[in-house]
Structures are given as C-alpha cells and as structure tokens.
Amino acid sequence: TDLHQLKRTLSWNEIDQTLYTSQSIEWRRKYLLTKTVDAEWQQVIEGRDRFLEKRNASLDYLLSRFAEDLREMDNYFYLSTDNVKINRREYFEFLIDLKQRFLTNYISISANRGAAVNNYENLSYINTTVSGYEDRISNLIGCTLIENGKRKTASDVDITNKEERGYFHFLEHLMLRIPLLSNETIIQLQANGINTELLSICGDDDCTACEGEDPYSFTASLVLPAWLPVYADVHYRDFVEKLIRRETPAGVLLRICWIDEVSMKDYEEKIELWWKARFELYQSDAQTYQASLLTYIERQNQFVITLKSLRSEYFKATLHGCDDEGEENNTRIFLDRTFLGKP
C-alpha cells in the first residue's frame, strides 16, 4: 500500500501521512472496520511527530534532486526556537511549509533567478515587484517580501506573532549615481542651497573607512529588521548572512545591515520619496525636467544620508562566569556581534 501511494508521498503537495494502512478488509475483524478505529490505528502506525520528521526528510530528498540543500536551515533555525516561542512540532511544521513552498514555486524561482525589476514601472517603491534575486532569498530563509499586494514594511510586522519571519530591502548602489548636471543646474542647486550628496569615496590608498574608489558599481546594500525575535540568535543571524552572500553574484560587494525599527522606518520613508522623485524625473518633459531634477537630487540627498548612517544593531551581552557555558545562554559575548550596554 505504501508503494501504491509513493507518487503522492514523494511530492511537494501537502499530505498528512507517509505510511498507509491496508485498505483491504478480509483480514480484519469486524470491530476494526469502523472509520473511527481506522483513524486511531493510523495514529499507531504513524503518529503526528513521526510523520513531521519523515516528511521533512522526504522534502530534503526532493530538494537534492534539484541540487538544493536546506538542511542547514534546519539546524540554525532550531537555535531561534526559544526566541520565537515555538515547540518542536511547530518547528518541523515551519520547515515543511518552507520547503513545500520553495518546491512549489521552484520553476519561477529557478527560471527567474536573474530577472530584474522595471524601476520605472511604478510611482511608488512599495508597489514595485521584487527581483528574481530577492524572490529566491526570501524563499530560502522563509520570509515574506510581498504582503497584501505591496512590499512589506515595518508597519506590517507583528512581533507578537510567532510565525513572523521578517523581510528585507535590497538596493543596487548604481541607481544612486547623480545624473549629468549642466552649468545651469549647478547654479540653481547652489542658489537653493542644495548640495549633491555622494556615497563615501576613498581618495587615499590607506583609507579603510569607505567602500572603495567606486562605491556605486557592483555594490549593493541589503537591510534586515534586527528587532524581530527570529533574528535574536547570533548564530542564526550569521547563517542568514552566509546564505545571502552565497546567493549573491561573486562580482558584487554586498553590505548587510541589521537595523532597528526606527532606522527601518526612516529608510522606508526616504526610499519612497526618492523613488517617486526618480519616477517623476523619468516621466518629465523639456518644460518640467529642470524642476523635477532639482527635486530628485534633494530627495536623493536625503536618502543617501540615511543609507550612509545605517549601522548594524548588535546584541546586548552580559558577563558570566567561566563555568557558565550552557547553550541556553543567549547573552554571552561574541566578538563584533555583541555590546555590553550603553554608557
């Protein structure tokens, strides 16, 4: 009977069992013929906990057929279970849901892996679709980028929901290059007291505070919500960073920032204003171009200042004795990952 159901078992469709009791009734006594007894007998053959573990393993097998491996996610996500207040059964249910959704959407995830976004498609950044790169990463770590038909923002996050898995924003720095400015435009900028804010550029060979001679080409930023409980474990956060860098093209210098809620809201507000000004500049004509350009540069200045001010939020740590080495201690000190508190 199990072989007869193998096609259903080894699929990414939702199932509720991997072992099946015989459907023939000749060998069973009369008191075993009722549906109630059949359901109870199924629980004896394969209980819920056993099913979840086997189902997770069968999905790992299906992923391996496409050279995909999410088993590392199993180990590292387990570290965050205390922070998100989920039990062992809910832990496996999350992993199964993650892997089923990944496999169900695999054709799109794989085929559109390098798909870009039409940056001039929408007036609003929030209503812009995600790129293939963003879609793949979000499916790999189990977070949601689109909610209610728009990009997810800090206002959509509910930290009391233990199923909250976060989101992120990704930006290629090439989009922040200043357009070619005429002498007339420069004079108008000076007259209005508007400077052109640039990403930090190193002028000396010994400079280590900037991002290189060209902080625009082949450089990108990715910001994540540091305040969510799911990211409150330093090891799980390191795993997410490693996974993101592994999925990023080797020729791209990626800056990853874990920021607090206030910084995230400021980032989302500034990128929305900048995106709108950028769209309107693209749609402008000969009569409106100059005014649109001034507005665009002003909005971009504000966004660049916000982008340059982003700093990763570290975990607050406390000092413990040498014999306090339990794995349940989440406040131990990690170099470049924690701080001892504000003075």
Side-chain angles (χ1 to χ4, degrees):
T1 302
D2 289 342
L3 288 176
H4 178 69
Q5 299 288 345
L6 187 62
K7 178 179 179 180
R8 182 171 179 267
T9 302
L10 288 180
S11 73
W12 44 78
N13 297 323
E14 188 171 345
I15 61 174
D16 53 13
Q17 62 191 88
T18 60
L19 296 178
Y20 295 83
T21 55
S22 175
Q23 298 300 311
S24 59
I25 62 175
E26 291 81 3
W27 63 274
R28 294 190 288 181
R29 297 178 183 272
K30 292 182 178 180
Y31 61 80
L32 293 179
L33 298 181
T34 66
K35 294 182 179 180
T36 302
V37 174
D38 282 349
E40 294 175 353
W41 181 245
Q42 179 63 44
Q43 287 298 313
V44 174
I45 296 297
E46 183 183 47
R48 180 65 178 173
D49 292 337
R50 186 185 180 192
F51 159 72
L52 292 174
E53 292 188 37
K54 291 186 64 178
R55 179 56 174 163
N56 187 54
S58 69
L59 291 171
D60 284 334
Y61 166 75
L62 290 175
L63 287 164
S64 70
R65 300 298 298 268
F66 301 101
E68 301 285 356
D69 188 357
L70 297 185
R71 289 176 299 175
E72 201 174 13
M73 164 65 80
D74 300 15
N75 299 327
Y76 282 98
F77 182 71
Y78 186 75
L79 298 172
S80 68
T81 54
D82 288 340
N83 299 319
V84 294
K85 303 293 188 288
I86 65 174
N87 56 37
R88 180 176 176 81
R89 179 173 292 187
E90 291 170 325
Y91 158 74
F92 276 110
E93 287 174 346
F94 163 73
L95 293 176
I96 290 171
D97 181 63
L98 168 70
K99 294 170 184 179
Q100 285 182 164
R101 285 190 290 111
F102 186 84
L103 286 164
T104 301
N105 300 321
Y106 192 71
I107 293 177
S108 174
I109 293 172
S110 180
N112 298 323
R113 184 172 183 172
V117 173
N118 183 356
N119 295 321
Y120 300 106
E121 180 182 12
N122 277 295
L123 174 67
S124 172
Y125 167 77
I126 299 301
N127 294 326
T128 305
T129 57
V130 299
S131 65
Y133 169 81
E134 293 171 290
D135 186 40
R136 179 174 171 83
I137 290 178
S138 65
N139 276 275
L140 283 171
I141 63 178
C143 69
T144 305
L145 297 186
I146 301 295
E147 192 163 289
N148 298 323
K150 63 180 185 64
R151 282 182 179 258
K152 194 172 182 178
T153 63
S155 60
D156 299 316
V157 172
D158 180 10
I159 61 173
T160 63
N161 182 5
K162 60 184 179 182
E163 296 183 1
E164 178 61 67
R165 301 291 174 257
Y167 69 107
F168 60 84
H169 294 294
F170 175 76
L171 176 75
E172 293 183 75
H173 291 188
L174 191 64
M175 297 173 63
L176 295 171
R177 280 189 168 177
I178 299 291
L180 183 63
L181 303 178
S182 64
N183 290 332
E184 179 187 357
T185 303
I186 295 174
I187 293 173
Q188 289 190 29
L189 288 172
Q190 293 174 345
N192 288 276
I194 302 174
N195 297 317
T196 51
E197 191 71 35
L198 302 174
L199 294 174
S200 301
I201 299 175
C202 289
D204 301 324
D205 294 337
D206 297 333
C207 179
T208 58
C210 306
E211 301 174 359
E213 296 181 358
D214 182 0
Y216 295 92
S217 301
F218 307 106
T219 308
S221 289
L222 191 146
V223 296
L224 299 107
W227 73 92
L228 295 186
V230 68
Y231 296 131
D233 183 89
V234 62
H235 300 293
Y236 181 63
R237 188 184 285 192
D238 285 344
F239 160 72
V240 171
E241 283 195 27
K242 183 174 70 173
L243 185 150
I244 291 172
R245 294 189 187 281
R246 187 175 64 205
E247 294 296 325
T248 303
V252 176
L253 176 63
L254 185 64
R255 178 196 183 200
I256 298 178
C257 285
W258 300 87
I259 60 178
D260 59 29
E261 188 174 5
V262 175
S263 299
M264 183 66 85
K265 288 182 177 179
D266 183 46
Y267 177 93
E268 290 167 354
E269 177 186 349
K270 295 301 192 302
I271 195 174
E272 181 68 21
L273 293 173
W274 169 72
W275 195 276
K276 180 180 179 181
R278 190 169 177 269
F279 180 87
E280 291 176 343
L281 176 64
Y282 176 75
Q283 297 290 339
S284 63
D285 54 26
Q287 282 84 24
T288 61
Y289 177 80
Q290 200 65 30
S292 297
L293 180 59
L294 295 177
T295 302
Y296 168 73
I297 292 176
E298 188 174 9
R299 293 287 184 266
Q300 176 157 304
N301 286 344
Q302 296 171 356
F303 180 50
V304 169
I305 292 173
T306 296
L307 188 64
K308 292 197 297 184
S309 67
L310 296 181
R311 296 293 183 273
S312 286
E313 284 288 307
Y314 294 114
F315 299 96
K316 185 176 181 179
T318 54
L319 292 174
H320 294 267
C322 297
D323 58 343
D324 189 5
E325 298 179 354
E327 293 182 0
E328 70 281 356
N329 179 10
N330 292 323
T331 63
R332 288 172 290 174
I333 297 176
F334 295 89
L335 185 63
D336 292 334
R337 289 292 185 273
T338 54
F339 67 95
L340 289 175
K342 298 180 180 179

